[in-house]
């Protein structure tokens, strides 16, 4: 995927109509669009195809976590929608991640497409040490993030989703080719919301992020196009 504009706009809206309106409005100022569970469950594959048909890159954020065979088939189905990035949970284990990466490579080859970036999600940022203890994991989120990230790389993944405050620690231990996709970006211009551990777009790129996932600072702005343009300018 061409990697000139690192802004991925999260289309966190409830319908195809509102997603399309937002995408049309901000397209010239952004690098890709993220379609997550809410929009996908509401609007289905058609909205993916419609946005992809404009030439924009699509990040399908459905965070697959299942037995390896099922995840591989879901990845192959996502490839048939021609997405450029998709997510899986690293806690599904090495075999699941290898199956996902293999399905991405094999399906891309058979369709004559470039293989998408299969991104591993480590510990959700909504989880803390108590959450990990509750489910019987090593009760240290930082250690668990590093452990899962290293397992992901060993299993063949080429990218990870991480919080802004994990970028530096991950960059220290991961090979340089690993792409880091980072939500939790705030410019300071928006109202306070549920993102607690944030960096500005420029800080995140300087820390080593490859891509920035930005939702509310763009779609909830008075002028989403202008907000995206300002963020892009701040990166130059
Ligand atoms: O509106 P906001 O900029 O907070 O949106 C961030 C996007 O990134 C949302 O789609 C959210 O679900 C996603 N995300 C996140 N934190 C993670 C993983 C994904 O905020 N750890």
């Amino acid at each position: 995927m061409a990697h000139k504009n690192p802004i991925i706009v999260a289309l966190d809206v409830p319908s195809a109509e509102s997603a399309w309106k937002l995408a049309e409005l901000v397209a010239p100022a952004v690098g890709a669009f993220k379609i997550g569970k809410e929009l996908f469950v509401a609007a289905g594959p058609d909205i993916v195809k419609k946005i992809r048909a404009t030439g924009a890159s699509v990040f399908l954020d459905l965070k697959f976590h299942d037995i390896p065979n099922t995840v591989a088939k879901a990845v192959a189905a996502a490839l048939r929608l021609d997405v450029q990035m998709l997510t899986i949970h690293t806690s599904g284990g090495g075999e699941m991640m290898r199956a996902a990466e293999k399905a991405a490579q094999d399906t891309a080859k058979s369709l004559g497409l470039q293989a998408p970036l299969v991104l591993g999600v480590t510990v959700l940022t909504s989880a803390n040490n108590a959450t990990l203890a509750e489910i019987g994991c090593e009760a240290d989120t930082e250690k668990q993030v590093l452990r899962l990230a290293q397992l992901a790389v060993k299993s063949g993944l080429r990218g990870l989703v991480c919080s802004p405050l994990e970028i530096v620690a991950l960059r220290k231990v991961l090979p340089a080719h690993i792409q880091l996709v980072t939500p939790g970006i705030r410019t300071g211009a928006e109202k306070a919301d549920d993102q607690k551990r944030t960096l500005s777009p420029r800080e995140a790129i300087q820390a080593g992020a490859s891509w920035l996932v930005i939702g509310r600072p763009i779609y909830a702005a008075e002028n989403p196009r202008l907000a995206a343009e300002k963020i892009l300018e701040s990166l130059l």
Side-chain angles (χ1 to χ4, degrees), residues 10-12 34 36 61 63 121 123-126 161-163 183-186 193-195 213-217 219:
L11 296 175
D12 292 335
K34 181 170 91 78
D61 185 20
K63 298 188 178 67
V121 174
V123 178
L124 292 171
T125 44
S126 54
V161 178
C162 70
S163 108
I185 301 298
R186 289 297 177 267
D193 52 41
D194 60 356
Q195 293 283 16
V213 174
I214 307 179
R216 286 161 288 184
Y219 72 69

Side-chain angles (χ1 to χ4, degrees), residues 3 17 76 81 110 159 174 185 235:
H3 192 170
E17 294 70 35
L81 299 177
S110 72
L174 298 180
I185 301 298
L235 299 175

Side-chain angles (χ1 to χ4, degrees), residues 48-76:
V48 178
K49 290 185 205 156
K50 190 167 173 181
I51 289 181
R52 184 62 196 126
T54 66
S57 295
V58 173
F59 169 11
L60 188 63
D61 185 20
L62 299 180
K63 298 188 178 67
F64 298 140
H65 185 173
D66 212 312
I67 58 171
N69 183 54
T70 301
V71 168
K73 286 199 220 168
V75 168

